[in-house]
Structures are given as C-alpha cells and as structure tokens.
Amino acid sequence: MCGNTAFLGKLLADDYRDLSYSSAAATPTVYGKAESLKSAARGDASRDCASHGPHQEGLRVQIHGDTAVATGTGVVAARKGRSEVRFHFLDVYAWRQGRWQAVFSEDMGL
C-alpha cells in the first residue's frame, strides 16, 4: 500500500471486509475500509516501499461473471532484524460501475 490512500480508497468497496488470522491471536481480526485506509496512511510512502513491500507468489485468478477471486502466497521480505513473513491470501473483487473493487480479503499466516 505504501501510503497510497488515494488509490486504495478507490480500490476498496465501501462494504469491504478484511479477515486476518494471526498465530498470536485466538480469533481472527476483521477490518473494514476505514481501518484499512488508516493503516495505509501510517505506511511507508518512501520511493523504495514497493521493493520492500509484500509480493505475491503463485497468484491464481478466477473470474465468475462479475466476481473475481485471487489466491496465492504473500511474502514480506526479511529486513532490519525481522524474519521473512509468508501468508496465504484470498481476495474477492466485484465489477461495479465499470471497475473492479475489492469486497473481501482473507489472509492466514503459514
């Protein structure tokens, strides 16, 4: 996200939900669009953010009419004393008003 809240605000639907699982938490955390935008605003807006941010492996996209489902593995590279982080993700997009909007995301640590 690299601090790009303008882009993210257009990508996320108003009814967007993000369900995240963490090995440290007993129950998943659910975020909406507002929480995701706040998190992005705190993110790194530096020029090299994209090279250090998460990348995707094994990306698979299936389109079912006006719905698209993307799955794969997200990888955040190790840096500054932190180990590499890998997680499975599932993102659901809906075709609305001539563009794709994210309506649901789920990630689970490996």
Side-chain angles (χ1 to χ4, degrees):
M1 293 184 280
C2 298
N4 191 344
T5 56
F7 172 78
L8 191 61
K10 291 178 184 177
L11 177 66
L12 301 181
D14 289 341
D15 57 347
Y16 172 78
R17 292 293 176 263
D18 179 356
L19 181 64
S20 296
Y21 294 87
S22 165
S23 59
T27 59
T29 304
V30 180
Y31 298 99
K33 180 176 181 175
E35 293 89 356
S36 296
L37 289 172
K38 285 179 189 175
S39 177
R42 290 188 304 267
D44 182 356
S46 66
R47 292 182 58 179
D48 69 343
C49 172
S51 65
H52 290 84
H55 69 274
Q56 299 169 340
E57 295 179 352
L59 178 64
R60 181 173 177 190
V61 178
Q62 297 175 305
I63 298 177
H64 306 278
D66 61 356
T67 303
V69 178
T71 58
T73 302
V75 181
V76 179
R79 71 178 200 172
K80 295 183 183 177
R82 291 189 302 191
S83 300
E84 176 182 85
V85 175
R86 300 177 71 81
F87 56 94
H88 292 300
F89 69 86
L90 177 142
D91 295 322
V92 180
Y93 297 85
W95 183 256
R96 295 178 174 170
Q97 301 173 354
R99 63 189 168 105
W100 289 105
Q101 283 195 301
V103 293
F104 179 80
S105 297
E106 180 178 26
D107 59 84
M108 181 181 302
L110 296 175

